[in-house]
Amino acid sequence: MTAPDQLSGQTSDQNGETLRTAVLGTGSWGTTFAAVLADAGCDVTVWGRSAAVVRQIADQHRNEAYLPGIDLPASVTATTDARAAVAHARIVAVAVPSQVARDTLAPLRGALRDDAVVVSLMKGVELGTDKRMSEVVAETLDLPDERVAVVSGPNLAREIARHQPTATVVASTSPDTAALVARAVASSYFRPYTNPDVVGVELCGAVKNVIALAVGISQGRGLGYNTMATVITRGLVEITRLGLALGATPETFPGLAGMGDLMATCASPDSRNHTLGGHIGRGMGLDEAIAATGGTAEAVKTCRPVLELARRLGIEMPITEAVVKVLYEGLPVDQLAPMLLSRPRRAEVVGR
């Protein structure tokens, strides 16, 4: 597929110069987000560890390893030097696996512009600390909350890379930061909405992967749409319970970052978490399923810190607990659905 010319003209900073941006990570989402920024009129430099991938992005404007068949905008360049990538960037987007975020960002402390904002594209919770990715970003780079943003929503990378219309949520405690990031990504096919509820938006992005893995397991066992709808709906209840306990805004959960992202991730064959769950449902062990899926299925690592966080807060999350038991405690996959349905009967209330 051939990428069109710049879609929205140049996006300028406060000095009237083209907005400089950087993306850390050359996976499918990082590469796609780089193309989104370029199509919105920004200068974009992508950082990656693989010299071969970086060379292909810079020289051929392709990333066949993670985004095959897609031509990238000519304005996207790439480097293996992370400090050089971020040195002049007004916006730095982080799209690395959540469990390596701290190690990736630590060498960049002090390397950013004084007015740079950092955008987390990651959807996970850190093992060992139970911290959300925006918290890891702020802590590791020593940034105030107002210089950190989160982008999350029904954003399957391959569809966006093909310019299929989609919307997203840009969350930040600072309206100015959210507006800057929204302006940097807005184009004819990518529509950003802003939201001050960083906690809610971020938890939706992290926990929906766990629910998608549970849906994949059930479908791998041959269960149908009734089961899928049940797991999705009750999964949203789990996400909402946890978010409200942490101070999130109720309106976030039925929106794009909540139900929108949950539906896309649970239904799409492009979702790695759903795909991995399907492999496990069909009888693969975890290591075999990870190898067969390819790429990073965040739910594999995220499910345990999410459950730890919920237990610390006294929040019931039976679907998340069942996923942890299947992946790490030997619960047979045939017992996942009965385990959920055998819970005590109660009223259907989100807070319960």
Side-chain angles (χ1 to χ4, degrees):
M1 175 176 178
T2 301
D5 293 334
Q6 189 170 289
L7 300 180
S8 304
Q10 288 188 338
T11 299
S12 302
D13 63 14
Q14 64 269 30
N15 299 318
E17 299 177 353
T18 301
L19 194 65
R20 293 185 175 187
T21 64
V23 178
L24 303 179
T26 55
S28 58
W29 184 213
T31 304
T32 296
F33 197 77
V36 168
L37 289 165
D39 284 338
C42 300
D43 280 344
V44 189
T45 301
V46 182
W47 168 81
R49 297 185 188 278
S50 168
V53 171
V54 163
R55 192 180 309 113
Q56 188 178 54
I57 292 173
D59 296 344
Q60 302 175 34
H61 305 295
R62 306 271 289 199
N63 184 347
E64 293 298 328
Y66 296 101
L67 207 63
I70 300 295
D71 290 336
L72 304 175
S75 56
V76 175
T77 188
T79 179
T80 55
D81 186 339
R83 292 181 73 89
V86 306
H88 302 291
R90 180 77 166 85
I91 296 174
V92 177
V94 186
V96 299
S98 59
Q99 304 310 321
V100 303
R102 191 178 293 273
D103 289 342
T104 300
L105 294 174
L108 301 179
R109 187 167 180 153
L112 276 62
R113 287 171 43 162
D114 292 339
D115 62 348
V117 301
V118 179
V119 181
S120 172
L121 306 180
M122 302 171 286
K123 297 183 176 181
V125 176
E126 188 178 43
L127 280 165
T129 68
D130 301 342
K131 290 186 176 181
R132 293 174 286 108
M133 289 297 102
S134 67
E135 295 176 303
V136 173
V137 166
E139 180 180 291
T140 308
L141 295 175
D142 191 25
L143 297 177
D145 290 343
E146 58 266 24
R147 287 177 58 191
V148 178
V150 173
V151 169
S152 192
N155 298 152
L156 295 162
R158 295 182 190 280
E159 293 184 9
I160 297 171
R162 295 185 176 95
H163 298 150
Q164 295 182 16
T166 192
T168 197
V169 177
V170 179
S172 178
T173 59
S174 164
D176 290 341
T177 294
L180 172 67
V181 176
R183 182 163 57 88
V185 300
S187 72
S188 61
Y189 65 90
F190 199 74
R191 169 67 186 271
Y193 291 83
T194 58
N195 188 336
D197 181 17
V198 175
V199 173
V201 169
E202 202 160 24
L203 282 176
C204 286
V207 185
K208 59 92 184 183
N209 287 327
V210 181
I211 307 305
L213 197 151
V215 169
I217 291 173
S218 69
Q219 293 188 320
R221 299 309 296 163
L223 302 177
Y225 292 106
N226 289 337
T227 304
M228 181 178 80
T230 299
V231 175
I232 290 174
T233 306
R234 297 308 299 174
L236 183 62
V237 171
E238 291 194 12
I239 298 170
T240 305
R241 280 195 198 117
L242 183 60
L244 293 179
L246 290 169
T249 304
E251 290 79 10
T252 296
F253 302 99
L256 285 166
M259 179 55 84
D261 197 6
L262 183 63
M263 289 176 61
T265 307
C266 289
S268 173
D270 287 338
S271 163
R272 287 191 293 267
N273 294 283
H274 180 275
T275 299
L276 187 139
H279 290 320
I280 290 174
R282 287 185 287 274
M284 287 188 184
L286 179 55
D287 290 341
E288 185 183 7
I290 291 172
T293 300
T296 301
E298 289 283 7
V300 173
K301 297 290 181 64
T302 293
C303 61
R304 286 185 292 180
V306 165
L307 185 59
E308 290 169 3
L309 181 60
R311 286 173 172 169
R312 192 166 73 241
L313 295 169
I315 304 299
E316 288 190 358
M317 298 187 70
I319 298 174
T320 302
E321 183 176 0
V323 168
V324 171
K325 287 182 178 294
V326 168
L327 295 188
Y328 297 107
E329 299 177 16
L331 180 74
V333 290
D334 284 335
Q335 293 184 23
L336 185 143
M339 176 182 172
L340 299 179
L341 296 180
S342 64
R343 300 182 70 242
R345 291 185 295 275
R346 57 180 62 188
E348 184 190 25
V349 178
V350 166
R352 297 184 178 178

